[in-house]
Amino acid sequence: AVLVALGVLGAPPTAGEELSGVFQLMGKFECRFTNGTEQVTLLERHIYNREQWMHFDSDVGEYVGDTPDGEKVAKDLNSRPEFMESKRAEADTVCRRNYELFTPFSVERRGER
């Protein structure tokens, strides 16, 4: 149902291009560790058709809109105190808690460059 809605509501093509009929909505989540678990950052990115439209950085502590539509959604999400409290805690509850699972696949960083 979501894919059909995205196909119907898709952005218009740029000048001289045809609609491909393929729309991509993607979320990316990254846990960044510095000095083991001394500093943990969660980065959540929301991407639509290869354009990041909103993101959450646990160091900032709120959603940031990267496009006008993203700003609207970010404002709405940031206005929900219980949701934001849970989101801010995810650096600990998701990243730090699963550090041992992530380390074989991560690049080790030591302090600021």
Side-chain angles (χ1 to χ4, degrees):
V2 173
L3 184 58
V4 172
L6 290 175
V8 172
L9 301 173
T14 57
E17 291 186 18
E18 295 290 322
L19 278 176
S20 69
V22 177
F23 300 93
Q24 183 180 46
L25 180 62
M26 180 169 61
K28 289 185 127 191
F29 301 83
E30 300 173 24
C31 291
R32 297 182 178 173
F33 303 96
T34 305
N35 294 337
T37 58
E38 187 176 313
Q39 182 181 353
V40 179
T41 302
L42 171 70
L43 180 61
E44 174 184 320
R45 301 183 316 150
H46 297 265
I47 301 160
Y48 176 70
N49 278 355
R50 295 181 281 175
E51 180 180 20
Q52 181 172 305
W53 58 278
M54 180 178 70
H55 70 276
F56 175 84
D57 182 336
S58 64
D59 291 342
V60 176
E62 64 182 26
Y63 282 93
V64 177
D66 299 309
T67 66
D69 288 333
E71 288 176 9
K72 292 174 192 172
V73 175
K75 183 178 178 181
D76 177 57
L77 292 174
N78 291 335
S79 70
R80 302 176 184 185
E82 292 172 359
F83 173 76
M84 290 306 297
E85 182 180 333
S86 172
K87 180 56 65 181
R88 290 181 188 113
E90 284 183 3
D92 286 324
T93 61
V94 174
C95 295
R96 188 164 293 172
R97 183 174 181 178
N98 291 299
Y99 175 73
E100 295 299 323
L101 295 173
F102 294 135
T103 52
F105 308 102
S106 65
V107 176
E108 192 168 327
R109 298 179 185 183
R110 299 254 179 226
E112 295 297 318
R113 293 183 181 195

